[in-house]
Amino acid sequence: MKTDIEIARAATKLPIARIAERLGIGADEILPYGHDKAKISRDFIDGLRHRPEGKLVLVTAINPTPAGEGKTTTTVGLGDALNRIGQRATVCIREASLGPNFGMKGGAAGGGHAQVIPMEDMNLHFTGDFHAITSAHNLLAAMIDNHIHWGNALDIDPRRITWRRVMDMNDRALRDVVLGLGGTANGVPRESGFDITVASEVMAILCLADDLQDLQDRLGRIIVAQTRDGRPVTARDLQADGAMTVLLRDALQPNLVQTLENNPALVHGGPFANIAHGCNSVIATRTALRLSDFVVTEAGFGADLGAEKFLGIKCRKAGLSPAAVVLVATVRALKMNGGVARADLGSENVTAVRTGAANLTRHIRNLRGYGLPVVVAINHFATDTAAEIAAVQDAAEAEGVRAILCRHWSKGGAGAEDLAREVLRLSDHPPGFRPLYPDEMPLWDKIETICTRIYGAARVEAPPAVRARLESWQAEYGHLPVCMAKTPYSFSADPTLHGAPTGFTIPVREVRLAAGAGFVVAICGDIMTMPGLPREPAANRIGLDAHGRIEGLF
Amino acid sequence: MKTDIEIARAATKLPIARIAERLGIGADEILPYGHDKAKISRDFIDGLRHRPEGKLVLVTAINPTPAGEGKTTTTVGLGDALNRIGQRATVCIREASLGPNFGMKGGAAGGGHAQVIPMEDMNLHFTGDFHAITSAHNLLAAMIDNHIHWGNALDIDPRRITWRRVMDMNDRALRDVVLGLGGTANGVPRESGFDITVASEVMAILCLADDLQDLQDRLGRIIVAQTRDGRPVTARDLQADGAMTVLLRDALQPNLVQTLENNPALVHGGPFANIAHGCNSVIATRTALRLSDFVVTEAGFGADLGAEKFLGIKCRKAGLSPAAVVLVATVRALKMNGGVARADLGSENVTAVRTGAANLTRHIRNLRGYGLPVVVAINHFATDTAAEIAAVQDAAEAEGVRAILCRHWSKGGAGAEDLAREVLRLSDHPPGFRPLYPDEMPLWDKIETICTRIYGAARVEAPPAVRARLESWQAEYGHLPVCMAKTPYSFSADPTLHGAPTGFTIPVREVRLAAGAGFVVAICGDIMTMPGLPREPAANRIGLDAHGRIEGLF
């Protein structure tokens, strides 16, 4: 059996200008990066403003397990399948973070015969967007310390600077640092630290901005610190927003690549799915909608986190309305949700599938609660038995939803044509998207609504200080949506509770205001914003072979 | 009078594929970055190995003053002029560092009518080379701390780690930090810090590497720390060299852009001229030589530092031999060397020019000592008087060298045709390059040779510990050249001593081994490896105008 990278290398790539041409984008309207990647020019995008938009399809999943679900693979396979049945479909996914590839085996863009290429570039520097975000973020950080160094006219309290630095690297030694040491020439000593670049609020902002002006406005609103008397200090107060926008000017333009079947894919942005909203950029999604009949996109983690944030943050703020939702499940993952250990996944266990399907059922009900038509995609594995597959289909049909077996991993778009036809059928109805909560609902009530109605929690707890902070933001920021930071492995805050747990409490430990991105983060557990490398990092084995090709990255 | 950026924006750029075509590079042999930048593909470069090489012209200068000399401007103007008189000439210069542009007014690529474009991109992310270097450098740093975290099998002494982290940003607060704080999950607390990316040994290595294999070999030789019993620990010991090479694979390919007159320019690499060798990459220079009749390149600072390192490190290690040297001077700068204050530069002062010309004379003698033909380029300013210009010419002619008035800043290549003809004449002789010292000379003697013969020092001093370190390296590394780190503003180590001082002592305070780059750094004074931002950073004024064009960067 061929590996993902072998399949990717055997693919016949079309010149990226040909892919652009299929979307109606001229050769002068793209900015090529090599022959297989390009950015779509700002001017071209500006010219699309009044075009009608195609239909948006969200691919989400049951809660992730170590068995693997295949959300990106299904997104790519469905995109290819829609093209095969005569629709002009574009795939929109996130960019990969560089750092983690040197820790564990790299996160490719899809897998098997449903991939986006060139995968080597996409797992390394790609078109430099994340480097630009790193630079913009760290320029703001340097300007904060520089401001204090030169007299601190804004009266920033060095103990209350919340803006850390970022690096696109797994580097645990940078989590907590003391900087500004070495004497008066080096600024003011203080505690701080580094996050990984994808956790930067600048990343979330880039992914939610409508255009350059909106980008600059949002960057200016970033709150970096408080003064000694508790007033917020923004990036605009430091006059950093213009220079940050300059650093991000090119990065704001979405990246065009292709699937293995030479269909267009926009790969743009990658906010951390745990402390941010976890979906690709609004600009990419909107551009694709104006150039296609269908746009297939995905959101991070399972539907409790990914779809909820996609709908509650991205769709709400950008005015997007999905035409259909694909909920990805695998027999293996449902078995794990049903209590089977990873080592026993190879044996048939219909009972476990039925038990685990409670997870699927709750996600279906949640999604239908948004007024959205749903189809379940069963991402096929060779070990799945007919009885197990039937058990999944029974569970879905009990909710009035079809569950369709998909073989895009082994067969490419041809393996997902049935899914594509069901998506076509579902999206033929007028959109009925209803947000979970209105903008004017108080912040705490928004958190409770998500926890009880989506997660199925019995109650939500928070220390008085957390409630007080939410209260203090209510007047100025109460209209913002909430971005939940919770374990993706369970509906609850306990990663070991699989299936569809009930009666649990969600503890909100901390809240953070992302005034630039435009959401309030509610942290329910330990959230890691700077990963570390494992004992044997993948970097030890990564290198070039005799032909200059990359080994060990995949 | 038009500003540099106005002139640059008014230029008619040719598509980069057309520029490549003029060098005999096909459209498939470049990797475009937008329509005005491209990398030359590794495969194409590999295919040039047996091509004959054109002639190499070094542009260097008198010691820099605040009056400005115009080395890059002269490099570009001479390249354009050589093309005008029928030679196929390519300009090879360094890439700009991003960070400093947000501190002071940005360093454009040349000026007036002698510029390389697109200058906005060149002063920002360009093709991402410096970001790749930052990533490779910091991956190695993360792997050091990770190795210690997981048990420290190599017995690295955390107090003797010399490998710091880097960022392409002016950020004084990062000069000295304590990292690894926050408990056992975050590694081992220790002192460290950040340098600016151009100061990274990875940068010097990229600029000296012959090809990918040589790059990886050099990266593997980097010494990052010592064990508790004093043995060196290398990047190869940490198995980091392969992954670092992967991160640098694309960055090793030189970048092709164009001058205002649509002539080819390779802009590649940018090692700090103070603690590294300060010239563009060997790969770019060699590629250009194989595609052109003439290659015009420059080296950092004045000829005492820049030309000495260009000849003693780059030419020595790469086997390059310049056909001629252009020594840039201005009447204004010579007046400052002759003791005139900056405010008085507008008034004629022939006596001061004559006094200051001692600086010019010593540089001429030094360069001729290498067996190289020299021409002085007087970079014309509107305030220069005929008598002042004649004084410069007299000083040059007293050394048997012509001094040619150049007006490329105001007239482009047409203003430097006389200079081009003189270069053509000088380079018609067989090359006579003689290195200053042989490889086998002991390290200390190399330092003494540079200080006495090039700087004109009376003596060289060093603490016993410095002499002992050099002794300890002699057996294994004694064949390496020396890379001097000294103030550029004087032949001496005292930046206030202008002209051609004598009788001074050069104090060598510290020596460092750059085993990967392949040189020993001798530090003679305070060397800043992480700049800070000024009180009013340029970033405060940088932004986009209503047309999305960058303001305040230039």
Side-chain angles (χ1 to χ4, degrees), chain B residues 205-494:
Chain B
I205 287 173
L206 184 101
C207 291
L208 289 168
D210 293 324
D211 53 29
L212 273 175
Q213 185 58 54
D214 185 40
L215 176 72
Q216 178 156 355
D217 292 345
R218 288 169 180 270
L219 292 169
R221 289 197 291 268
I222 293 172
I223 295 171
V224 298
Q226 289 186 299
T227 60
R228 279 174 222 272
D229 55 3
R231 284 171 295 113
V233 178
T234 66
R236 189 174 298 117
D237 294 332
L238 289 156
Q239 296 175 259
D241 51 324
M244 292 172 76
T245 305
V246 165
L247 281 166
L248 296 168
R249 186 181 64 158
D250 292 343
L252 191 63
Q253 301 169 125
N255 306 297
L256 177 65
V257 287
Q258 63 192 291
T259 67
L260 290 176
E261 299 184 7
N262 308 125
N263 292 311
L266 294 190
V267 179
H268 195 220
F272 229 15
N274 49 9
I275 62 152
H277 62 294
C279 7
N280 78 309
S281 78
V282 166
I283 286 192
T285 304
R286 183 135 264 157
T287 300
L289 284 168
R290 285 167 176 159
L291 299 172
S292 323
D293 301 324
F294 278 90
V295 171
V296 186
T297 191
E298 57 159 350
F301 297 141
D304 53 332
L305 281 172
E308 189 277 307
K309 294 184 196 184
F310 176 83
L311 298 167
I313 298 174
K314 179 173 173 175
C315 289
R316 176 192 304 268
K317 301 318 275 186
L320 297 169
S321 185
V325 179
V326 175
L327 182 62
V328 181
T330 61
V331 165
R332 290 156 56 85
L334 289 174
K335 275 197 269 195
M336 287 198 85
N337 263 287
V340 175
R342 196 174 177 181
D344 302 328
L345 288 176
S347 320
E348 185 182 74
N349 191 334
V350 177
T351 312
V353 173
R354 288 210 182 100
T355 310
N359 187 269
L360 180 73
T361 301
R362 188 178 288 173
H363 285 301
I364 294 172
R365 290 179 187 168
N366 284 343
L367 292 165
R368 291 173 61 99
Y370 286 98
L372 298 172
V374 177
V375 55
V376 173
I378 307 173
N379 186 13
H380 182 256
F381 275 71
T383 51
D384 299 350
T385 70
E388 288 174 328
I389 290 164
V392 183
Q393 289 174 323
D394 289 348
E397 273 160 30
E399 299 299 316
V401 161
R402 293 178 64 184
I404 295 176
L405 192 65
C406 301
R407 299 175 185 270
H408 45 273
W409 186 84
S410 54
K411 299 188 173 173
E417 285 188 23
D418 288 347
L419 178 65
R421 276 184 284 268
E422 176 67 0
V423 164
L424 205 61
R425 188 184 73 81
L426 291 175
S427 61
D428 204 29
H429 299 82
F433 172 51
R434 297 184 301 268
L436 182 67
Y437 52 80
D439 287 351
E440 56 274 16
M441 182 184 279
L443 291 169
W444 176 256
D445 296 358
K446 287 173 181 166
I447 295 171
E448 274 196 337
T449 300
I450 295 168
C451 293
T452 54
R453 290 197 33 208
I454 300 296
Y455 304 163
R459 69 198 71 78
V460 187
E461 286 177 358
V466 163
R467 300 289 296 261
R469 289 202 89 182
L470 290 172
E471 278 299 321
S472 75
W473 294 335
Q474 188 57 45
E476 194 166 356
Y477 303 104
H479 62 288
L480 295 181
V482 167
C483 181
M484 299 300 290
K486 178 186 73 72
T487 177
Y489 302 110
S490 170
F491 274 112
S492 75
D494 175 353

Side-chain angles (χ1 to χ4, degrees), chain A residues 27-35 42 98 102 120-121 124-126 128 131-136 138-139 141-143 145-146 149-151 165-188 194 212 216 238-250 532-544 547-551 553, chain B residues 27-35 42 98 102 120-121 124-126 128 131-136 138-139 141-143 145-146 149-151 165-188 194 212 216 238-250 532-544 547-551 553:
Chain A
D28 290 344
E29 294 158 336
I30 57 170
L31 300 159
Y33 282 68
H35 301 285
R42 186 172 46 253
L98 185 153
F102 295 94
E120 292 98 326
D121 293 5
L124 292 168
H125 308 291
F126 199 33
H131 291 314
I133 289 165
T134 303
S135 294
N138 289 337
L139 173 62
M143 289 174 79
D145 282 295
N146 190 59
H149 175 74
W150 288 107
R165 285 167 176 79
V166 296
M167 191 184 278
D168 195 0
M169 194 59 67
N170 287 19
D171 193 348
R172 69 169 66 74
L174 294 179
R175 284 175 190 152
D176 289 300
V177 307
V178 172
L179 47 75
L181 298 171
T184 52
N186 298 356
V188 175
F194 284 69
L212 273 175
Q216 178 156 354
L238 289 156
Q239 296 175 258
D241 51 324
M244 292 171 77
T245 305
V246 165
L247 282 166
L248 296 168
R249 185 181 65 158
D250 291 344
L533 292 170
R535 183 183 291 272
E536 292 289 339
N540 288 358
R541 299 177 305 277
I542 292 173
L544 296 176
H547 308 285
R549 295 185 312 197
I550 297 165
E551 288 186 323
L553 185 58
Chain B
D28 290 344
E29 294 158 337
I30 57 170
L31 300 158
Y33 282 68
H35 301 283
R42 185 169 49 253
L98 184 153
F102 295 94
E120 292 99 325
D121 293 6
L124 292 169
H125 308 291
F126 200 32
H131 292 313
I133 289 165
T134 303
S135 294
N138 290 336
L139 173 63
M143 290 175 79
D145 281 294
N146 190 59
H149 175 74
W150 287 107
R165 284 167 176 79
V166 296
M167 190 183 279
D168 195 0
M169 194 59 66
N170 286 20
D171 193 349
R172 69 171 66 75
L174 294 179
R175 285 175 190 152
D176 288 300
V177 307
V178 173
L179 46 75
L181 298 171
T184 52
N186 298 357
V188 175
F194 285 69
L212 273 175
Q216 178 156 355
L238 289 156
Q239 296 175 259
D241 51 324
M244 292 172 76
T245 305
V246 165
L247 281 166
L248 296 168
R249 186 181 64 158
D250 292 343
L533 292 170
R535 183 183 290 270
E536 292 289 339
N540 289 359
R541 299 178 304 277
I542 292 173
L544 296 177
H547 307 284
R549 295 185 311 194
I550 296 166
E551 288 186 323
L553 185 57

Side-chain angles (χ1 to χ4, degrees), chain A residues 199-528:
Chain A
S200 167
E201 187 176 345
V202 177
M203 174 69 85
I205 287 173
L206 183 101
C207 291
L208 289 168
D210 293 325
D211 53 29
L212 273 175
Q213 186 58 55
D214 185 40
L215 177 73
Q216 178 156 354
D217 292 345
R218 288 170 178 270
L219 292 169
R221 289 198 293 267
I222 292 173
I223 296 171
V224 299
Q226 289 185 296
T227 61
R228 280 175 221 268
D229 55 3
R231 285 172 293 112
V233 178
T234 66
R236 188 172 301 119
D237 294 332
L238 289 156
Q239 296 175 258
D241 51 324
M244 292 171 77
T245 305
V246 165
L247 282 166
L248 296 168
R249 185 181 65 158
D250 291 344
L252 192 63
Q253 300 170 124
N255 306 297
L256 177 66
V257 288
Q258 63 193 289
T259 68
L260 290 176
E261 299 184 6
N262 308 125
N263 293 310
L266 294 190
V267 179
H268 194 221
F272 228 15
N274 49 10
I275 62 151
H277 62 293
C279 8
N280 77 308
S281 78
V282 166
I283 286 193
T285 303
R286 183 134 264 157
T287 301
L289 283 168
R290 286 168 175 160
L291 299 171
S292 325
D293 301 324
F294 278 90
V295 171
V296 186
T297 191
E298 58 158 350
F301 297 144
D304 53 331
L305 282 172
E308 189 277 307
K309 295 186 197 182
F310 176 81
L311 298 167
I313 299 174
K314 179 173 173 175
C315 289
R316 175 192 304 267
K317 302 318 277 184
L320 297 169
S321 186
V325 180
V326 175
L327 182 61
V328 181
T330 61
V331 165
R332 291 157 55 88
L334 289 174
K335 275 197 269 195
M336 287 198 84
N337 264 288
V340 175
R342 195 172 178 182
D344 301 328
L345 289 176
S347 319
E348 184 181 73
N349 190 334
V350 177
T351 311
V353 173
R354 289 210 180 99
T355 309
N359 187 269
L360 180 73
T361 300
R362 186 177 290 173
H363 286 301
I364 292 173
R365 289 178 187 169
N366 284 344
L367 292 165
R368 289 172 63 100
Y370 286 98
L372 298 171
V374 178
V375 55
V376 173
I378 307 175
N379 185 14
H380 182 256
F381 275 72
T383 51
D384 299 350
T385 70
E388 288 174 328
I389 291 165
V392 183
Q393 289 174 324
D394 288 348
E397 275 160 30
E399 299 298 317
V401 160
R402 293 178 65 184
I404 295 174
L405 193 65
C406 301
R407 297 175 186 270
H408 45 272
W409 187 84
S410 54
K411 297 187 174 174
E417 285 188 24
D418 288 347
L419 178 66
R421 276 184 284 267
E422 176 66 0
V423 164
L424 204 60
R425 188 183 73 79
L426 291 175
S427 61
D428 204 28
H429 298 82
F433 172 51
R434 298 185 299 267
L436 182 67
Y437 53 79
D439 287 352
E440 56 274 17
M441 182 184 278
L443 290 169
W444 175 255
D445 296 358
K446 287 173 181 165
I447 294 172
E448 273 195 336
T449 301
I450 295 169
C451 292
T452 54
R453 290 196 34 207
I454 300 295
Y455 304 163
R459 70 198 71 79
V460 187
E461 288 177 358
V466 164
R467 300 288 296 260
R469 290 202 89 182
L470 290 173
E471 277 300 321
S472 75
W473 294 335
Q474 187 58 45
E476 193 164 358
Y477 303 105
H479 63 287
L480 296 180
V482 166
C483 181
M484 300 299 292
K486 178 187 72 75
T487 176
Y489 301 111
S490 170
F491 274 111
S492 76
D494 175 354
T496 65
L497 289 183
H498 296 307
T502 54
F504 58 86
T505 298
I506 296 280
V508 180
R509 302 193 181 169
E510 184 190 342
V511 285
R512 295 182 195 168
L513 175 59
F519 51 68
V520 169
V521 185
I523 297 177
C524 317
D526 294 328
I527 298 297
M528 173 64 70

